[in-house]
């Protein structure tokens, strides 16, 4: 009896100690958000809106088939920039790289400081044939209706190009003089990989020995209802982007008439391989940028969620299980598998001699293409299926502890004072990865507050941005230029 009582006391004591320690961890979790310094910038709104509105009217469309590019539209857009921002062209060094990529250098007073780079792109995706009638306003009209600017590029990403130049124009008028060199770099083929735009800029600057302290591109945004347990909008700054790889699974063998099939045909074996991969999946692991994001948002969560994340070492398996329940959060912690193309057969009554499947994989930082190939081969366990992997691994992971990230965070908080600003892992591709060889850090952030519907509009129908959002974007670029020179 005494032993039972002692055991009960020990268990109660341990539970009490556990509760005290975990509650202490929760209550002492400190916010990683800097105090905002409200913006007092007064920018000519009518002029700024007119500039973005006009920018949308140029059909600078990127096509996978580069022969379809209407480069006369790109040239007219570049002429428009020079006409719209005379002070920028007068005070900054300007050059065209590979004809249509644009580089502006604002020389600073202290050559001992590494420069920063702000980059965007002015090419846009095509409007899908047959969807034109679904647009409330013509996609290349740039119309201003109901406090919104409409058209392709208002969110992705002429808003970045015009926003940066508008901010520089404002600072020039205010007599601002930077300490460090600042570069503004605008690509023209980001939507198809950036090989002739951003990549050409990087090659040119690398030959000159230019190294950036950081480069800031588009990417994350301030998203409403993004993180469970956080009421405020969350501004996510990409510190890395997942790699994009293609796995091709192929099997060849005898075909024959469909009236006498083998038990396991080429199509069946490829289908079985896909099924195995989907059933197995890569293991989820809360690490890297995903882990960093939750460290920044955890202090702002409701008590229950904060309790879990403040004691991550204990509850990590639970957290990972929760994250794996939704595709968006699962993609944050694992390499993803997405079968996209299946090729086999030509005739209904003939067994195909060859079958293949294409899988798109978005690769987590730390995962290698070699490791992915081994995982696929081990999982499908069929030596007759040939596996080939091509593509890219994830970009490098940039710092969240240095002044570089903190200055971007501060600039965002100055404009969006209620937002929680945190690092994250970007799933899509951007020009930022092109700058990795010449930048110590690369960040990805579009300074607008958006909803899930806005995300769908970026490459879809009825792309538009509110005037308020656009003006806030300009204010952010003003603030980030100031913060980088403190």
């Amino acid at each position: 009896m005494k032993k039972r009582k002692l055991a009960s006391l020990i268990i109660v004591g341990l539970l009490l100690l556990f509760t005290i320690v975990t509650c202490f961890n929760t209550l002492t979790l400190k916010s990683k958000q800097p105090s905002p310094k409200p913006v007092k910038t007064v920018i000519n709104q009518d002029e700024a809106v007119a500039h973005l509105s006009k920018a949308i009217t140029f059909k600078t469309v990127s096509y996978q088939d580069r022969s379809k590019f209407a480069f006369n539209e790109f040239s007219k857009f570049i002429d428009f920039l020079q006409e719209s921002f005379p002070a920028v062209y007068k005070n900054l060094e300007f050059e065209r790289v590979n004809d249509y990529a644009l580089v502006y250098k604002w020389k600073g007073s202290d050559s001992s400081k590494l420069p920063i780079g702000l980059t965007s792109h002015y090419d846009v995706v095509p409007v899908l044939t047959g969807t034109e009638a679904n647009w409330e306003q013509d996609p290349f009209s740039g119309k201003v209706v109901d406090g919104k600017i409409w058209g392709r590029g208002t969110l992705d990403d002429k808003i970045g190009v015009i926003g940066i130049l508008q901010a520089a124009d404002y600072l020039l008028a205010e007599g601002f003089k930077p300490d460090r060199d600042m570069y503004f770099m605008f690509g023209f083929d980001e939507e198809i990989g950036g090989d002739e735009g951003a990549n050409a800029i990087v090659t040119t600057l690398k030959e000159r020995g230019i190294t950036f302290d950081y480069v800031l591109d588009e990417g994350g945004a301030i998203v409403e209802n993004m993180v469970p347990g956080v009421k405020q909008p969350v501004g996510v700054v990409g510190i890395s982007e997942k790699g994009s790889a293609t796995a091709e699974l192929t099997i060849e063998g005898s075909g024959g008439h469909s009236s006498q099939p083998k038990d396991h045909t080429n199509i069946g074996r490829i289908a079985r391989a896909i099924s195995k991969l989907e059933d197995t999946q890569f293991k989820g692991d809360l690490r890297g940028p995903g882990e960093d994001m939750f460290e920044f948002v955890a202090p702002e969560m409701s008590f229950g969620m904060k309790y879990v994340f403040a004691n991550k070492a204990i509850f990590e398996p639970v957290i990972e299980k929760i994250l794996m329940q939704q595709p968006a959060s699962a993609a944050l912690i694992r390499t993803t598998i997405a079968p996209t193309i299946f090729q086999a057969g030509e005739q209904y009554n003939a067994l195909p001699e060859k079958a293949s499947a294409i899988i798109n994989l978005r690769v987590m930082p730390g995962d290698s293409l070699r490791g992915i190939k081994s995982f696929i081969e081990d999982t499908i366990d069929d030596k007759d299926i040939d596996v080939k992997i091509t593509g890219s691994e994830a970009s490098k992971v940039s710092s969240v502890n240095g002044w570089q990230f903190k200055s971007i965070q501060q600039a965002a908080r100055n404009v969006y004072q209620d937002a929680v600003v945190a690092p994250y892992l970007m799933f899509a591709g951007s020009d930022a990865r092109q700058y990795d060889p010449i930048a110590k850090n690369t960040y990805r952030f579009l300074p607008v507050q958006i909803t899930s519907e806005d995300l769908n509009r970026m490459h879809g129908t009825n792309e538009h941005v509110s005037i308020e959002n656009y003006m806030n974007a300009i204010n952010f670029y003003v603030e980030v230029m100031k913060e980088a020179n403190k």
Side-chain angles (χ1 to χ4, degrees), residues 177-448:
K177 296 180 180 179
D179 292 335
R180 66 177 72 244
D181 291 350
M182 295 195 295
Y183 286 75
F184 310 143
M185 301 166 290
F186 306 138
F188 68 93
D189 63 344
E190 188 272 351
E191 297 293 0
I192 57 171
D195 291 339
E196 295 188 11
N199 185 55
I201 292 173
V202 169
T203 300
T204 300
L205 297 181
K206 189 175 183 180
E207 290 172 353
R208 297 174 187 172
I210 304 297
T211 300
F212 292 98
D213 226 329
Y214 75 78
V215 168
L216 174 64
D217 193 12
E218 62 160 335
I222 297 169
V223 187
E224 300 171 11
N225 303 315
M226 180 179 179
V227 179
V230 180
K231 295 180 180 179
Q232 306 100 301
V234 178
V236 286
V237 180
I239 59 173
S240 177
E241 59 189 66
K242 295 179 88 170
S244 180
T246 298
E248 182 175 6
L249 278 55
T250 305
I251 186 169
E252 295 187 52
S254 59
H257 199 279
S258 63
S259 62
Q260 301 178 63
K262 293 181 179 179
D263 289 344
H264 299 287
T265 63
N266 290 337
I267 288 179
R269 290 170 74 177
I270 288 289
R272 182 168 175 265
I274 295 294
S275 180
K276 281 186 173 182
L277 288 169
E278 290 188 331
D279 288 343
T280 306
Q281 298 288 345
F282 286 87
K283 183 180 182 297
D285 186 6
L286 184 58
R287 56 184 165 89
E291 184 176 25
D292 288 336
M293 185 184 83
F294 285 107
E295 285 186 1
F296 274 71
V297 299
E300 320 305 323
M301 289 178 165
S302 57
F303 184 83
M305 295 292 288
K306 185 190 295 187
Y307 178 82
V308 172
F309 282 95
N311 297 281
K312 184 172 67 65
I314 299 170
F315 296 113
E316 186 165 347
V318 177
I319 295 170
E320 290 173 351
K321 187 175 182 179
I322 293 171
L323 293 176
M324 293 293 282
Q325 291 175 358
Q326 295 295 329
S329 53
L332 189 65
I333 62 171
R334 73 177 180 194
T335 291
T336 53
I337 296 171
T340 52
I341 300 174
F342 199 105
Q343 296 173 323
E346 295 179 359
Q347 189 166 315
Y348 79 95
N349 61 350
L351 296 171
E353 295 184 1
K354 180 180 178 180
S356 65
I358 302 294
I359 302 170
N360 181 248
L361 304 114
R362 296 304 169 106
V363 184
M364 281 286 290
D367 287 356
S368 68
L369 297 188
R370 180 180 294 180
I372 288 171
K373 182 180 180 183
S374 295
F375 172 85
I376 292 174
E377 290 174 336
D378 292 344
T379 301
I380 65 177
D381 191 25
D382 189 331
K383 293 180 181 180
D384 291 332
I385 295 179
D386 181 60
V387 178
K388 291 182 180 178
I389 298 281
T390 57
S392 63
E393 295 173 358
S395 70
K396 69 182 181 183
V397 179
S398 296
S399 171
V400 298
N401 298 315
W403 74 267
Q404 299 90 344
F405 177 84
K406 291 177 181 178
S407 68
I408 296 168
Q409 186 187 33
Q410 182 69 63
R413 289 274 291 171
N414 290 352
V415 178
Y416 294 95
Q417 298 167 36
D418 295 331
V420 176
V421 183
Y424 95 122
L425 175 63
M426 185 169 158
F427 303 155
S430 74
D431 273 346
R433 69 163 52 242
Q434 302 276 6
Y435 289 91
D436 272 352
I438 60 170
K440 291 188 172 181
N441 300 277
T442 52
Y443 300 106
R444 301 146 182 86
F445 182 62
L446 180 67
V448 296

Side-chain angles (χ1 to χ4, degrees), residues 7-251:
S8 297
L9 287 173
I10 291 173
I11 292 171
V12 170
L14 289 173
L15 287 173
L16 182 61
L17 179 62
F18 175 85
T19 303
I20 291 172
V21 170
T22 53
C23 286
F24 177 81
N25 290 341
T26 306
L27 295 172
T28 57
L29 198 61
K30 293 183 179 179
S31 175
K32 288 179 172 283
Q33 302 303 306
S35 298
K37 302 169 187 174
V39 174
K40 298 179 180 178
T41 307
V42 180
I43 292 170
N44 186 326
Q45 179 172 299
D46 290 341
E47 178 187 77
V49 170
H51 284 158
L52 181 56
S53 174
K54 181 66 175 177
I56 301 306
T57 65
F58 300 98
K59 296 181 179 180
T60 53
V61 180
S62 275
Y63 296 96
Q64 291 294 336
D65 180 357
R66 289 182 180 267
S67 67
K68 293 183 178 181
F69 272 60
F71 280 115
N72 61 315
E73 291 289 311
F74 290 71
S75 295
K76 286 191 283 187
F77 178 80
I78 296 170
D79 292 341
F80 153 75
L81 293 181
Q82 191 160 0
E83 294 165 5
S84 301
F85 301 102
V88 171
Y89 281 81
K90 180 180 178 181
N91 292 279
L92 277 62
E93 299 173 21
F94 170 70
E95 67 176 310
R96 294 169 66 161
V97 176
N98 207 11
D99 294 327
Y100 301 101
L102 313 178
V103 178
Y104 303 77
K105 179 183 177 182
W106 195 347
K107 191 165 180 58
S109 58
D110 188 349
S111 60
S112 68
K113 292 183 177 180
L114 291 178
I116 67 157
L118 304 181
T119 183
S120 293
H121 64 92
Y122 66 95
D123 61 312
V124 298
V125 297
V127 174
L128 187 64
T129 301
T131 67
E132 295 89 348
N134 298 332
W135 284 72
E136 293 181 34
Q137 306 297 332
D138 185 278
F140 293 99
S141 67
K143 280 191 176 180
V144 182
V145 181
D146 297 330
K148 300 170 185 175
I149 309 166
W150 291 78
R152 184 64 90 220
T154 48
L155 285 171
D156 187 13
D157 184 35
K158 286 179 179 176
I159 187 176
V161 175
I162 305 301
I164 290 168
L165 293 178
Q166 202 74 51
D169 192 62
Y170 168 82
L171 287 172
L172 284 167
E174 292 291 301
F176 176 78
K177 296 180 180 179
D179 292 335
R180 66 177 72 244
D181 291 350
M182 295 195 295
Y183 286 75
F184 310 143
M185 301 166 290
F186 306 138
F188 68 93
D189 63 344
E190 188 272 351
E191 297 293 0
I192 57 171
D195 291 339
E196 295 188 11
N199 185 55
I201 292 173
V202 169
T203 300
T204 300
L205 297 181
K206 189 175 183 180
E207 290 172 353
R208 297 174 187 172
I210 304 297
T211 300
F212 292 98
D213 226 329
Y214 75 78
V215 168
L216 174 64
D217 193 12
E218 62 160 335
I222 297 169
V223 187
E224 300 171 11
N225 303 315
M226 180 179 179
V227 179
V230 180
K231 295 180 180 179
Q232 306 100 301
V234 178
V236 286
V237 180
I239 59 173
S240 177
E241 59 189 66
K242 295 179 88 170
S244 180
T246 298
E248 182 175 6
L249 278 55
T250 305
I251 186 169

Side-chain angles (χ1 to χ4, degrees), residues 418-480:
D418 295 331
V420 176
V421 183
Y424 95 122
L425 175 63
M426 185 169 158
F427 303 155
S430 74
D431 273 346
R433 69 163 52 242
Q434 302 276 6
Y435 289 91
D436 272 352
I438 60 170
K440 291 188 172 181
N441 300 277
T442 52
Y443 300 106
R444 301 146 182 86
F445 182 62
L446 180 67
V448 296
Q449 186 166 334
I450 60 178
T451 64
S452 57
E453 291 181 354
D454 294 322
L455 288 171
N456 293 331
R457 291 191 186 105
M458 281 190 177
H459 281 191
T461 299
N462 287 324
E463 183 178 349
H464 64 261
V465 68
S466 70
I467 291 174
E468 180 183 9
N469 245 334
Y470 169 49
M471 298 307 295
N472 282 337
I474 298 170
N475 285 327
F476 167 80
Y477 287 122
V478 169
E479 291 299 302
V480 88

